[in-house]
Structures are given as C-alpha cells and as structure tokens.
C-alpha cells in the first residue's frame, strides 16, 4: 500500500496515469460505451461511477491548460438532453482545477476520437452520455 493514493484507483489505472504524458487523453466511459472495440488499452473499473473516479483521478492528474479544452463530452443527439451527471462532473472538476474549458464532440466523432486516446476506463456509470475525456497537463 502507498499513502495518499485514493483506494478506488487500481494499480493498473495508477500505472496508466503515470505513463501518460502532457497532452495525452484518458476516457472515462459509461457502462454502455464500446470500450474494447474503440481502444486497445482498456482498464476495467466495473461497479464504479464516473464522478467518484473523476474525483480520485484529479487528485493525481493535472489538466492541460495549454489546450483549447481540458475536458470533452459526447454531445447528445438532437432530441436528447444533457445528463444531470454533467453538473456533478463540473462540480468535481472545478473543485480540483477551478475554471476549465469543455468541448462537446458529436457522438460518432467521439467514438473515432477515443480510438486515439491513451486509454479507456470502462466504468459502471449508467448515465446516458456519461462519457468524459480528460486531457493531461503538466505540474
């Protein structure tokens, strides 16, 4: 055991966060997201919701202040609404990072984008459009 590492973060996830460099991206994917189909580096976090993982990850990982956006979300298709969990994400991220910029990415472009991210964390989040991409910054 190590001190000050949130218990929710598995050894594989901590290793991944440590392996990422400035500008690399990690996806926290909801339970419906095709994680394995979209990325070769999938870390399982079944049974965990994204807000609690997001909070734990942001205790260790800074967001990229040198990019136009630090966080990306899957844009709801016309007729669908943004999930309530986005407000929770905003509160969690703001508590760690203060102000930040968000990009909305069209659904199919979001899928294509995740094929190029460093890793996908497959979670148990059940909120539709609960997927979130974090861009790693520098200390």
């Amino acid at each position: 055991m190590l001190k000050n590492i949130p218990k929710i973060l598995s050894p594989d996830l901590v290793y991944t966060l440590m392996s990422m460099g400035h500008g690399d991206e990690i996806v926290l994917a909801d339970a419906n997201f095709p994680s394995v189909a979209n990325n070769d580096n999938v870390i399982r976090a079944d049974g965990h919701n994204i807000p609690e993982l997001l909070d734990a990850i942001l205790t260790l990982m800074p967001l990229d202040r040198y990019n136009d956006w630090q966080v990306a979300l899957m844009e709801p298709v016309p007729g669908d609404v943004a999930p309530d969990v986005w407000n929770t994400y905003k509160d969690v991220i703001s508590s760690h990072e203060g102000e930040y910029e968000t990009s909305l990415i069209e659904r199919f472009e979001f899928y294509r984008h995740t094929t190029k991210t460093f890793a996908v964390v497959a979670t148990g989040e059940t909120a539709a459009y609960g997927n979130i991409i974090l861009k790693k910054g520098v200390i």
Side-chain angles (χ1 to χ4, degrees), residues 21-79:
H22 176 225
D24 282 338
E25 298 170 359
I26 189 165
V27 181
L28 304 183
D30 66 34
N32 294 304
F33 189 81
S35 299
V36 174
N38 282 357
N39 198 292
D40 293 332
N41 187 11
V42 175
I43 297 126
R44 303 302 309 192
D46 303 280
H48 296 294
N49 292 323
I50 290 176
E52 60 189 349
L53 285 164
L54 181 61
D55 185 47
I57 288 168
L58 292 178
T59 64
L60 303 178
M61 188 184 93
L63 295 180
D64 187 358
R65 296 292 173 188
Y66 296 101
N67 195 59
D68 292 342
W69 57 268
Q70 294 78 49
V71 172
L73 300 166
M74 181 186 285
E75 183 177 39
V77 298

Side-chain angles (χ1 to χ4, degrees), residues 96-115:
H96 288 278
E97 294 287 322
E99 296 291 320
Y100 66 96
E101 294 297 323
T102 302
S103 175
L104 289 179
I105 303 175
E106 184 274 332
R107 179 177 164 221
F108 292 107
E109 179 55 32
F110 191 97
Y111 290 140
R112 284 188 291 276
H113 188 96
T114 62
T115 65

